Amino acid sequence: YKVFISLSNVIYFADLLGAATGALAVVFLLNLVGVFGTILLVSTFAAIVSLLFALASRRRAVILVAMAGIILMGSLTQYSFRANLLDIRPGSDQEKELESILADQSLGARIVESRWSAFGRTDLIELEAEPHSKVIFVDGSAGTRMFHFDGEFNSSGSEVPSLRYTTQFYPYYFVNKGSSLVIGPGGGLDVLTSLMGGMNHTTAVEVNPDIVGIVRDYSEYNGGIYTKYSNVHVNVDEGRSFVRRSAQKYDIIMLDIPVTKTSQGAVGYALAENYLFTTNSFADLLDRLNEDGFLAVVAHERPEVYKLVSIGFKVLGDGGLGVQEIMRRIVVVEGTSHSGLPVFILKKTSFTKEQTRLMYVKARELEFTPLYFPYISAVNLDPLLEALADGRVSMDYVISLAPFDLRAPTDDSPFFYKFERAVPPTLSQLVVGTIVLSLIVSGLYVGGWMRPSSRRKKRESHPQWGRFSLFRPYYFASLGLGFMLIEVSLIQRFILFLGHPTLAIAVSLFSLLLSSGLGSFCSRSWDGHRMYDVLKVSLAIGMAVILYSFALPPVFN
């Protein structure tokens, strides 16, 4: 600070430029050389820089220590890629599916392969208890099955024929056999069911490139569902982003509700953003359907079904449809003997009475539990859905009295998994903490500004900046806090536009850091006596942030 005070703006620019470059470069490095190679490469650069600083000090002891450290690191490099070192087991988080499966001795589970990228860690699991399938996990959760498939859908001794008796396959009995869109196929199960369903063309969209790579590399095991079928087209992309850019129409769009805790854990699970299950997303998906097309969503439990119904009511209701017309477009069935996962089907147009009768008969034949069918009354239908169809209750009434939050998520609040009626504890604690911290910092500002300064000579030469030195630490603390809050908000908004969470984080950080660095570089031309120019710029930044809140959505559209 004392030696390079005249170049402080340039030094800070270099600092932020390096941080911005690192924010963007780490994505490419993780995808190119993996997590271990990235750590080794970054450590090597850090060691070289430490040596340069040691040389610049011209102190023999410092130079010798730095050189000894680099030589030691170089001698250990040969051990960096040993198999036992790379085979790092997942952490003992019992909330993660992978850990519980590995701990269950009866399953005989073992990790066959692990891949690292900017998306995270992807593991392929082999189970002795289930030789006809393997399981792929992302960050220890969100398990997806990859079936052993020999190319014959009715092959004896295989689990593939049993897929016809799952709720996931159920919509394919009735849909037109044109084209299907599968969002989040994972290990290829959704693609397999689409092929079994006789669809002429299947488009699959998977956001994790490592999952796609594993399924392609194990083509001999899975029958080449991603490589050997000319009517299957696999895209590495985020599903919602793909749909918004696509102009193609489909006869069925199939989604499995993902459970991706990843690093959120059980505490932050309700705050995990999911742009596929919002009112805006359903509007986009329905727009991509042919007139008789189906939007099919496989859920995990009935509360998720109720929330999907709430989304359908909001989207179709805003389109001018009445309650009875909306309920004529909905079918819900729940598995029993083969699969308990309920499937929610939303048709672009109304189901006919004949279609409904055939679907109900097929559900009973497959031993499914019919939760709701239009035009049909039965003792085993879901009473809540029946009450909605009969007009005995309204969706607003159901939302107001439900023991959990059934409000339809939107792109501005894309928290499908938030079932607590109150604000999640994580968020409420964050809000309270931020308010308290802001009040404390504001009080320190006022106290520092009102407190008389003993450095009158300095204050006379710089009358506006003299008082500032009293509360400089609080200023920089809130500067960092404000930076982070704006950064988080921009990342949240850019995720949908850019389509990949990691890319959104990297691009947002790169842009903010680089722009801040450029501002520092240009700050030397400012007159240090004109404090109110700084205040004007600060006000302009605040106004720009508010403008972003309203301008970004239409710009992205």
Side-chain angles (χ1 to χ4, degrees):
Y1 176 78
K2 294 180 179 179
V3 177
F4 299 105
I5 188 171
S6 61
L7 298 175
S8 59
N9 65 311
V10 178
I11 294 173
Y12 192 51
F13 163 70
D15 176 30
L16 293 182
L17 178 62
T21 304
L24 208 58
V26 70
V27 178
F28 297 99
L29 289 176
L30 286 171
N31 291 328
L32 185 64
V33 297
V35 63
F36 302 105
T38 300
I39 293 174
L40 181 62
L41 192 59
V42 172
S43 301
T44 301
F45 276 114
I48 293 174
V49 170
S50 68
L51 178 60
L52 293 176
F53 273 107
L55 293 174
S57 70
R58 298 182 180 180
R59 297 173 61 182
R60 181 177 299 178
V62 175
I63 295 174
L64 291 176
V65 170
M67 293 183 65
I70 291 179
I71 293 173
L72 177 62
M73 190 184 73
S75 64
L76 296 175
T77 301
Q78 59 180 317
Y79 299 100
S80 298
F81 292 98
R82 291 178 61 179
N84 60 343
L85 179 63
L86 297 181
D87 186 22
I88 296 179
R89 291 182 60 84
S92 57
D93 183 356
Q94 296 302 322
E95 296 293 333
K96 300 276 189 176
E97 300 169 68
L98 176 58
E99 178 63 23
S100 60
I101 288 177
L102 291 175
D104 189 345
Q105 299 295 327
S106 64
L107 294 176
R110 69 182 187 92
I111 298 177
V112 178
E113 182 179 350
S114 297
R115 300 189 183 188
W116 294 82
S117 68
F119 195 90
R121 170 171 168 156
T122 304
D123 295 292
L124 178 64
I125 307 300
E126 189 175 76
L127 304 170
E128 291 181 4
E130 298 182 21
H132 295 291
S133 67
K134 302 181 189 295
V135 187
I136 302 174
F137 288 96
V138 180
D139 289 337
S141 188
T144 174
R145 298 179 71 183
M146 180 173 65
F147 275 78
H148 181 244
F149 178 50
D150 59 4
E152 296 293 333
F153 295 117
N154 298 312
S155 177
S156 60
S158 171
E159 290 190 25
V160 173
S162 65
L163 294 177
R164 299 182 187 274
Y165 305 97
T166 62
T167 53
Q168 190 172 24
F169 186 82
Y170 177 76
Y172 290 103
Y173 284 110
F174 315 102
V175 74
N176 295 330
K177 306 304 181 183
S179 59
S180 66
L181 172 63
V182 174
I183 298 179
L189 178 59
D190 298 306
V191 174
L192 193 55
T193 53
S194 178
L195 291 171
M196 290 180 64
M199 303 304 295
N200 295 326
H201 298 280
T202 299
T203 301
V205 182
E206 171 59 52
V207 68
N208 188 341
D210 289 333
I211 290 182
V212 176
I214 288 175
V215 176
R216 284 175 172 165
D217 291 345
Y218 283 78
S219 294
E220 293 300 320
Y221 181 85
N222 58 48
I225 53 176
Y226 282 8
T227 57
K228 296 181 181 179
Y229 290 87
S230 59
N231 60 338
V232 174
H233 312 281
V234 183
N235 301 270
V236 178
D237 203 343
E238 195 274 330
R240 177 76 185 285
S241 181
F242 178 88
V243 168
R244 297 187 75 180
R245 299 194 314 269
S246 173
Q248 186 176 347
K249 299 283 188 177
Y250 302 94
D251 292 293
I252 181 172
I253 298 178
M254 172 65 72
L255 303 94
D256 276 344
I257 293 183
V259 179
T260 51
K261 296 180 183 179
T262 61
S263 60
Q264 306 258 355
V267 177
Y269 188 40
L271 299 179
E273 296 166 347
N274 192 322
Y275 287 100
L276 282 175
F277 301 103
T278 67
T279 55
N280 311 77
S281 175
F282 269 43
D284 292 338
L285 294 171
L286 289 173
D287 189 53
R288 298 273 70 81
L289 287 175
N290 291 322
E291 284 304 305
D292 291 327
F294 290 5
L295 171 60
V297 183
V298 179
H300 300 101
E301 51 191 0
R302 292 196 190 185
E304 292 177 351
V305 171
Y306 298 146
K307 204 156 193 176
L308 292 170
V309 172
S310 176
I311 295 173
F313 260 78
K314 179 63 176 175
V315 173
L316 298 179
D318 289 347
L321 297 182
V323 174
Q324 290 186 339
E325 179 62 25
I326 293 173
M327 294 304 291
R328 290 194 189 106
R329 303 182 181 205
I330 294 175
V331 165
V332 185
V333 297
E334 186 175 56
T336 52
S337 58
H338 294 89
S339 171
L341 302 177
V343 58
F344 165 85
I345 302 174
L346 180 63
K347 193 169 181 282
K348 190 169 185 178
T349 56
S350 299
F351 286 103
T352 65
K353 291 185 179 181
E354 180 61 18
Q355 281 179 316
T356 303
R357 186 188 68 81
L358 293 174
M359 295 178 75
Y360 181 80
V361 170
K362 190 65 178 180
R364 301 299 296 174
E365 177 188 328
L366 295 171
E367 299 181 359
F368 290 162
T369 301
L371 296 185
Y372 177 76
F373 286 84
Y375 314 110
I376 290 180
S377 296
V379 294
N380 56 349
L381 295 184
D382 186 272
L384 175 59
L385 299 180
E386 272 198 303
L388 284 171
D390 295 343
R392 284 176 280 157
V393 295
S394 66
M395 179 54 70
D396 291 337
Y397 181 77
V398 171
I399 291 174
S400 65
L401 292 184
F404 38 79
D405 188 359
L406 287 183
R407 290 175 297 174
T410 65
D411 280 355
D412 287 333
S413 182
F415 307 114
F416 180 84
Y417 298 109
K418 180 190 172 296
F419 285 96
E420 305 95 334
R421 291 193 62 88
V423 176
T426 305
L427 185 58
S428 60
Q429 293 168 9
L430 178 63
V431 171
V432 171
T434 302
I435 292 175
V436 171
L437 181 60
S438 299
L439 291 175
I440 293 174
V441 172
S442 299
L444 292 171
Y445 280 172
V446 175
W449 186 262
M450 299 298 294
R451 190 185 307 119
S453 174
S454 59
R455 301 177 181 179
R456 298 193 177 276
K457 292 184 179 181
K458 289 187 177 181
R459 193 168 69 242
E460 289 173 1
S461 60
H462 296 284
Q464 294 168 334
W465 291 99
R467 297 181 187 272
F468 170 77
S469 61
L470 295 173
F471 55 96
R472 181 184 297 150
Y474 315 118
Y475 167 80
F476 283 107
S478 59
L479 184 68
L481 178 62
F483 188 97
M484 287 187 291
L485 291 174
I486 292 175
E487 162 199 326
V488 170
S489 176
L490 289 178
I491 289 173
Q492 188 267 347
R493 291 187 175 274
F494 273 85
I495 283 177
L496 179 59
F497 180 67
L498 294 176
H500 195 295
T502 305
L503 183 63
I505 294 172
V507 170
S508 300
L509 282 177
F510 171 81
S511 303
L512 286 169
L513 292 169
L514 179 62
S515 300
S516 301
L518 291 173
S520 175
F521 186 81
C522 299
S523 64
R524 179 59 60 185
S525 60
W526 284 51
D527 187 344
H529 294 270
R530 294 160 56 192
M531 180 180 179
Y532 287 103
D533 286 344
V534 178
L535 297 178
K536 290 177 183 178
V537 172
S538 300
L539 180 62
I541 292 174
M543 303 259 317
V545 171
I546 296 174
L547 180 63
Y548 261 49
S549 300
F550 297 98
L552 281 181
V555 169
F556 286 161
N557 287 333

